[in-house]
Amino acid sequence: MSQERAVPASAGPLEELSGWPEELCRRELPSVLPRLLSMYQRSDSWIEHIQILKIIVEMFLPHMNHLTLEQTFFSQVLPKTVKLFDDMMYELTSQARELSSQNLEIQTTLRNILQIMVQVIGALTGCVQHVCATQESVILENIQSLPSSALHVIKSTFVHCKNSESVYSGHLHLVSDLLQALFKEAYSLQKQLMGLLDMVCVGPLVDRSDGILNMVIVIHSLLDICSVISSMDHAFHANTWKFIIKQSLKHQSVIKSRLKHRDIITSLCEDILVSFQSCLQLAEQMTQPDVQDNAEYRLFQKTLKLCRFFANSLLHYTKEFLPFLSDSCSALHQLYLQIHSKCPPSLYAARVPQAQQDEIAAAFLVTLDPLVGQLLAFQPFVHVVLDSTLELPCELQFPQCLLLVVIMDKLPSQPEAVQSLWCTGSQVSEATARVSLLKAIFDSFEQCSGELSLPIHLQGVKRQGQAEVAVTLYQHVCVHLCAFIASFHPSLFPELDAALLRAVLSANMITSLLAMDAWCFLARYGTAELCAHHVTVVAHLVEFIQNFPPKAAGNLPLWQCISFQALPSELREQTAREVAGLGTAQCRKWLSSTRTLGELDSLNTVLSALLAVCHSAREALDIGQQAAVIEVGSQLWAFLSTHLVTGQPCVQQALSLLLPLLGSFIQTLDPPLISQVVTLQASLLQSEPPDHVRLAVLDFVSSLGKLLLSEALQDKILPGLSCVFALLLADGNWLLEHHAVEAFTHFAEGTNHEAIVPECLRSEETKNKVVSFLEKTGLVDETAAARAERVKQEKALLWASSARTLLAAERPSLQPHAKRARPGRPLGQEYGAALQAAVRALDAVESLLHQAPAPDGLLSELEMLQGRIDELKRRVL
């Protein structure tokens, strides 16, 4: 046949080419293909593009050499095909907003574009099918443009279909049939492509980075598609993940260092959490006792099966690629915590029927245990779990405790090096700081206040011949901790001693009790030599005073944390007197200095140490020392009372220490000082100070119940006191409200001034609170769900308060710097603070005048005050 007949007039009419027989196509391929490719590159018509592409794929592709497909066809055509598809997608999205049943022109245009897009995907499917049909094993380099182009088109299609509701603005029904066809074509193309990729061999390309990189790109492109289709088709989503894991393992030897393992792990963890949440939501809806025959239950089982599949995939991938997962450990850690936070007995668990709880545990949760086992010897995982800076929200604190117990149970079967890794803190050479496992357990246990107070119950240990009994969190941790101690490696006993001693001395009572129980077990379980060693450790505590003498000012930060009751009586008296003597001397030194707010931090340490003495060893102080403490406390109050409204954290901290310190000596305080304190407290509360300041106010006013006031003092103190109690009893914070009711009850039971009691109860609601507290009837009708919700709120509040305290301690910028006098502006901030305090004090006096008649002498005092103001004005002028 002549050249003209083969390609008449610019490669011949496409209609004529479409009628050629197979043999003619094969024979004329060398001359026709270049012309068709040239037409394809030059054409600006979408319709012509797809016509040419279909002719090449359907009529000439079967006759091409499969070894040269990339050079002769794919690399020449597919990049332009992808651009064509993107252009059509852009046009489709841009004009979709104008779609309506009245606008027939736009409707026709959009439908035409969708039809062409369906044909483009069909042509790509034809390419994939041809390669699969003609080759048993495929070298990726020989077809590298095909997978990347197909995956780009597939993802673009799925994204468009996923967003179709918003893209077509309520007119989706006008194109829904073609969108469905488009999705089906893309779905079919991906299935065919995965079949093709399953035939790919990367082995021969091990020394050529292009082939390896292409396979990595393919895997991550499929990962992107997973994120798109996760909510569209669960079965297809799972099959795509199955293929990703399979290909990653198949080509592991050559691509393991190129894969973005963190992206894969993170995506898999996210899909596990999403499917698990769906599973829980379905389980929550199953309220009927016999649900196994309905559609909801079948969907629940299907979703649970999906959860198990994802978890097993993660388990398999983690096992094979563990050395490359150092930056994925945080995601794996969070996955474990998130899942257990949603399962009973967590306070934040979904309300799932027991039958479904058991199914979830048996089918899904069991996969998390071997995951922890795989990660146990992996140092980056150890660093993440034991990170010294780890801060978890309330809902993840209990799961962290469970995880640490699981790790503790698994360690005895591990080599000594692994046990040492977990049970010793970070070394100097390590970049990140970590705590020991035992310290982490005690710290985590301390954070589970809500779970301990409810209390929650966990599955107990089965004993021979006995039924399994549910145990509290305290019992659970204590039993497993003691079992761990029983198997502790001898070389790690110094770490155990340090952890137990630190926890025994903890300010948290429940943590201290846990450590005591564990230590008692250790004493009973251990050898005589071990017991003798512990006696020596305890005996060395007697040397504590010699090593950290309380006479040294540098040791006050330590002594403020010590309970003097823990010392023998003789040593208690000695150390209490020494700390009190040093403390009062330091206070006088501060009072005689420049007394800037920036120096309050050191003063607060002194006040904290004095308060520790007064709380646990006040009887050790003689009359002279008590008088000295009262004297410096009164002088400090005179200074601080002019700065109460500055809002400085250091001032607020000083106030929260000074108030209970003064309250310890309420019987010997000067009445005018008591009056000043009460009056300014009423003003201070109206400025909404922090919680710890309000608690300090409560501490002081509750001590006033022991005080017998003269009639003259009653008029000055009782109106302000009733105002303070009324404000605190009406506080919306549950913790402060409880302390307020408790403090008021303590005051009311001890005071001889009964007339003030009804003045404090200004509303019916407040009266009911106090009555309920006294009769202990407030929570009688509380349901289990309501109690759990209350405990959650309490825990959240305590956690938030603790977080704020830590933040304030870690941010020195919140503390005012020592101020230098500047010419013309000496101590400007302190002048302003003092004037604001004076205004607040006058406001408090005005408030009292509204509540009760003015006492005798008030007018003369105000006149004296006016005289001082006039004098100050003259000095300023």
Side-chain angles (χ1 to χ4, degrees):
M1 182 176 292
S2 68
Q3 180 73 10
E4 290 75 11
R5 171 74 182 275
V7 190
S10 300
L14 295 178
E15 292 80 3
E16 183 179 343
L17 286 174
S18 63
W20 280 15
E22 182 180 347
E23 179 57 29
L24 181 59
C25 292
R26 184 190 63 77
R27 190 169 61 248
E28 298 297 331
L29 174 66
S31 59
V32 174
L33 184 59
R35 302 289 186 99
L36 289 173
L37 293 177
S38 177
M39 289 175 62
Y40 190 78
Q41 296 297 333
R42 294 197 310 269
S43 176
D44 293 327
S45 167
W46 292 347
I47 295 177
E48 189 174 32
H49 266 120
I50 190 59
Q51 289 177 339
I52 297 172
L53 182 61
K54 289 177 67 176
I55 288 174
I56 297 175
V57 171
E58 294 173 2
M59 303 184 65
F60 292 97
L61 179 60
H63 307 294
M64 296 180 193
N65 184 343
H66 68 271
L67 296 177
T68 61
L69 279 177
E70 177 65 22
Q71 293 77 19
T72 58
F73 176 44
F74 292 151
S75 64
Q76 307 255 357
V77 171
L78 295 184
K80 184 70 179 286
T81 304
V82 170
K83 183 180 183 306
L84 166 74
F85 195 85
D86 287 344
D87 290 344
M88 287 190 288
M89 188 64 76
Y90 176 78
E91 191 71 20
L92 192 66
T93 306
S94 300
Q95 297 195 36
R97 299 183 186 91
E98 302 176 23
L99 179 63
S100 69
S101 55
Q102 292 78 27
N103 196 334
L104 296 179
E105 181 180 354
I106 290 294
Q107 186 175 337
T108 302
T109 300
L110 296 183
R111 292 185 66 85
N112 287 339
I113 294 174
L114 285 168
Q115 288 173 344
I116 297 173
M117 294 171 78
V118 169
Q119 295 180 64
V120 170
I121 297 177
L124 290 173
T125 303
C127 295
V128 173
Q129 289 174 334
H130 169 74
V131 175
C132 290
T134 56
Q135 303 180 46
E136 294 183 359
S137 179
V138 178
I139 297 176
L140 189 57
E141 194 176 32
N142 292 343
I143 60 162
Q144 63 182 21
S145 297
L146 179 58
S148 59
S149 300
L151 288 169
H152 178 91
V153 168
I154 291 168
K155 180 185 175 183
S156 181
T157 300
F158 288 154
V159 169
H160 184 77
C161 292
K162 184 177 182 178
N163 300 331
S164 57
E165 287 283 352
S166 59
V167 170
Y168 293 97
S169 304
H171 301 287
L172 180 62
H173 62 282
L174 298 175
V175 292
S176 58
D177 56 330
L178 289 175
L179 279 174
Q180 188 175 15
L182 187 69
F183 179 86
K184 287 182 177 179
E185 284 292 334
Y187 180 96
S188 176
L189 173 58
Q190 182 173 325
K191 288 186 66 176
Q192 298 280 346
L193 181 63
M194 290 193 298
L196 167 61
L197 292 171
D198 214 19
M199 301 164 58
V200 165
C201 175
V202 184
L205 301 176
V206 70
D207 297 324
R208 303 183 63 178
S209 60
D210 287 349
I212 298 173
L213 182 60
N214 287 333
M215 179 52 70
V216 171
I217 291 172
V218 163
I219 289 174
H220 284 287
S221 297
L222 285 166
L223 186 64
D224 291 340
I225 290 173
C226 266
S227 65
V228 177
I229 64 173
S230 59
S231 59
M232 300 174 70
D233 189 315
H234 292 163
F236 190 39
H237 180 215
N239 286 333
T240 304
W241 261 118
K242 185 177 182 180
F243 183 79
I244 290 172
I245 303 297
K246 180 181 179 182
Q247 294 303 308
S248 299
L249 298 178
K250 177 182 177 181
H251 305 294
Q252 178 181 3
S253 61
V254 294
I255 66 172
K256 58 187 179 183
S257 61
R258 300 287 192 93
L259 283 173
K260 297 178 181 177
H261 298 285
R262 182 178 180 178
D263 292 349
I264 295 174
I265 292 291
T266 301
S267 296
L268 198 48
C269 289
E270 289 174 354
D271 285 344
I272 289 173
L273 286 174
V274 170
S275 59
F276 182 57
Q277 186 64 40
S278 299
C279 191
L280 292 176
Q281 289 173 353
L282 289 168
E284 283 183 286
Q285 299 170 12
M286 297 180 191
T287 56
Q288 301 299 325
D290 186 15
V291 296
Q292 297 193 359
D293 294 331
N294 64 30
E296 284 182 354
Y297 180 73
R298 289 192 293 272
L299 183 57
F300 162 77
Q301 284 197 314
K302 185 178 179 181
T303 309
L304 181 58
K305 186 177 179 181
L306 187 64
C307 292
R308 183 178 177 85
F309 163 75
F310 284 140
N312 284 330
S313 298
L314 178 66
L315 195 64
H316 198 180
Y317 192 92
T318 303
K319 179 182 178 181
E320 297 298 330
F321 293 100
L322 185 59
F324 301 92
L325 303 184
S326 58
D327 59 351
S328 301
C329 290
S330 180
L332 294 170
H333 179 220
Q334 286 294 314
L335 174 70
Y336 187 98
L337 301 186
Q338 290 282 355
I339 288 174
H340 279 283
S341 73
K342 302 176 189 301
C343 296
S346 169
L347 294 174
Y348 305 86
R351 296 178 184 176
V352 176
Q354 187 61 48
Q356 279 65 55
Q357 287 184 32
D358 295 341
E359 287 189 67
I360 291 172
F364 173 60
L365 297 183
V366 292
T367 60
L368 298 180
D369 189 67
L371 178 63
V372 175
Q374 288 178 182
L375 296 167
L376 209 56
F378 193 40
Q379 187 166 346
F381 182 71
V382 180
H383 281 287
V384 166
V385 175
L386 300 181
D387 185 358
S388 62
T389 62
L390 183 65
E391 292 185 13
L392 296 171
C394 294
E395 65 271 16
L396 301 186
Q397 291 166 355
F398 168 64
Q400 171 76 355
C401 186
L402 291 184
L403 172 61
L404 294 173
V405 171
V406 168
I407 291 169
M408 191 167 58
D409 290 346
K410 293 180 178 296
L411 277 182
S413 63
Q414 296 294 315
E416 181 184 350
V418 177
Q419 293 187 39
S420 178
L421 179 64
W422 281 96
C423 294
T424 58
S426 56
Q427 307 302 313
V428 177
S429 59
E430 297 179 15
T432 56
R434 74 172 192 274
V435 299
S436 71
L437 175 63
L438 287 167
K439 184 179 186 308
I441 286 174
F442 284 117
D443 290 347
S444 178
F445 180 78
E446 185 175 322
Q447 292 179 333
C448 298
S449 57
E451 291 80 3
L452 288 163
S453 65
L454 191 61
I456 62 167
H457 289 84
L458 297 94
Q459 184 176 350
V461 178
K462 290 184 178 180
R463 297 180 180 179
Q464 188 173 5
Q466 296 182 4
E468 185 177 285
V469 179
V471 297
T472 65
L473 176 60
Y474 185 96
Q475 293 171 312
H476 178 77
V477 175
C478 188
V479 168
H480 287 265
L481 178 59
C482 291
F484 180 56
I485 290 173
S487 64
F488 215 65
H489 197 278
S491 65
L492 299 174
F493 266 95
E495 298 292 337
L496 176 62
D497 291 342
L500 289 176
L501 182 58
R502 187 187 299 110
V504 165
L505 297 176
S506 169
N508 183 276
M509 181 188 69
I510 198 73
T511 302
S512 182
L513 287 175
L514 177 65
M516 290 178 190
D517 280 343
W519 209 336
C520 289
F521 168 82
L522 179 60
R524 291 194 301 271
Y525 177 84
T527 61
E529 291 81 3
L530 182 61
C531 290
H533 166 69
H534 286 155
V535 170
T536 303
V537 170
V538 174
H540 282 166
L541 293 178
V542 181
E543 300 176 8
F544 184 83
I545 299 173
Q546 284 73 40
N547 292 330
F548 304 98
K551 291 182 179 180
N555 291 331
L556 281 181
L558 176 63
W559 284 100
Q560 70 176 329
C561 304
I562 301 298
S563 172
F564 292 83
Q565 290 292 337
L567 300 172
S569 58
E570 292 182 2
L571 292 176
R572 179 167 64 248
E573 291 182 6
Q574 173 194 336
T575 54
R577 289 170 181 171
E578 290 178 353
V579 171
L582 176 62
T584 52
Q586 292 288 314
C587 288
R588 289 192 183 101
K589 180 180 178 181
W590 186 88
L591 285 165
S592 63
S593 67
T594 56
R595 298 192 293 182
T596 60
L597 295 182
E599 298 169 352
L600 265 180
D601 190 45
S602 60
L603 177 65
N604 287 339
T605 301
V606 176
L607 291 176
S608 181
L610 286 174
L611 187 59
V613 171
C614 292
H615 276 172
S616 58
R618 182 188 161 194
E619 71 283 353
L621 304 183
D622 58 33
I623 296 176
Q625 286 182 312
Q626 293 186 28
V629 174
I630 295 172
E631 179 187 356
V632 296
S634 302
Q635 293 174 0
L636 288 170
W637 173 261
F639 172 78
L640 290 175
S641 62
T642 63
H643 297 84
L644 294 183
V645 294
T646 62
Q648 294 283 6
C650 59
V651 177
Q652 294 168 344
Q653 179 65 18
L655 180 64
S656 66
L657 295 168
L658 187 57
L659 285 175
L661 186 63
L662 293 174
S664 300
F665 301 96
I666 195 68
Q667 295 289 354
T668 52
L669 285 185
D670 290 337
L673 177 61
I674 298 174
S675 178
Q676 291 174 21
V677 173
V678 172
T679 301
L680 281 180
Q681 282 180 341
S683 175
L684 177 65
L685 288 174
Q686 293 174 358
S687 65
E688 298 183 356
D691 295 348
H692 65 280
V693 175
R694 286 184 280 179
L695 287 171
V697 171
L698 277 171
D699 190 286
F700 182 84
V701 294
S702 65
S703 67
L704 292 175
K706 309 170 187 175
L707 196 62
L708 183 61
L709 302 173
S710 65
E711 291 186 8
L713 284 176
Q714 289 180 35
D715 294 336
K716 292 184 177 181
I717 294 177
L718 295 184
L721 185 59
S722 65
C723 179
V724 170
F725 270 124
L727 289 170
L728 291 169
L729 287 168
D731 197 295
N733 182 312
W734 68 267
L735 182 60
L736 285 164
E737 177 188 292
H738 177 80
H739 280 282
V741 174
E742 194 172 40
F744 175 74
T745 303
H746 180 71
F747 168 82
E749 290 174 346
T751 187
N752 291 316
H753 309 287
E754 293 86 356
I756 190 179
V757 174
E759 291 293 325
C760 301
L761 306 176
R762 299 184 178 180
S763 70
E764 198 64 32
E765 182 182 0
T766 303
K767 291 179 184 177
N768 292 335
K769 287 178 187 176
V770 174
V771 171
S772 296
F773 179 82
L774 291 173
E775 297 179 354
K776 295 181 172 54
T777 59
L779 301 177
V780 170
D781 298 328
E782 190 178 38
T783 64
R787 187 180 183 200
E789 187 60 33
R790 175 175 56 80
V791 169
K792 282 165 57 176
Q793 293 176 5
E794 292 172 1
K795 182 174 180 179
L797 182 63
L798 289 170
W799 179 81
S801 177
S802 174
R804 285 196 299 271
T805 303
L806 289 173
L807 183 62
E810 293 171 1
R811 291 179 60 186
S813 60
L814 291 178
Q815 301 292 339
H817 298 289
K819 299 174 178 64
R820 299 178 182 175
R822 298 183 180 180
R825 295 184 61 189
L827 303 176
Q829 280 191 332
E830 295 193 20
Y831 274 117
L835 288 173
Q836 292 179 32
V839 172
R840 290 296 182 111
L842 291 173
D843 288 341
V845 173
E846 184 179 5
S847 175
L848 292 173
L849 287 172
H850 288 301
Q851 300 173 31
D856 296 337
L858 178 61
L859 182 59
S860 60
E861 291 181 9
L862 288 174
E863 290 173 348
M864 290 176 61
L865 183 60
Q866 181 64 50
R868 292 188 63 182
I869 292 174
D870 293 339
E871 176 63 26
L872 289 173
K873 287 168 64 177
R874 285 192 294 272
R875 292 176 63 181
V876 171
L877 295 173

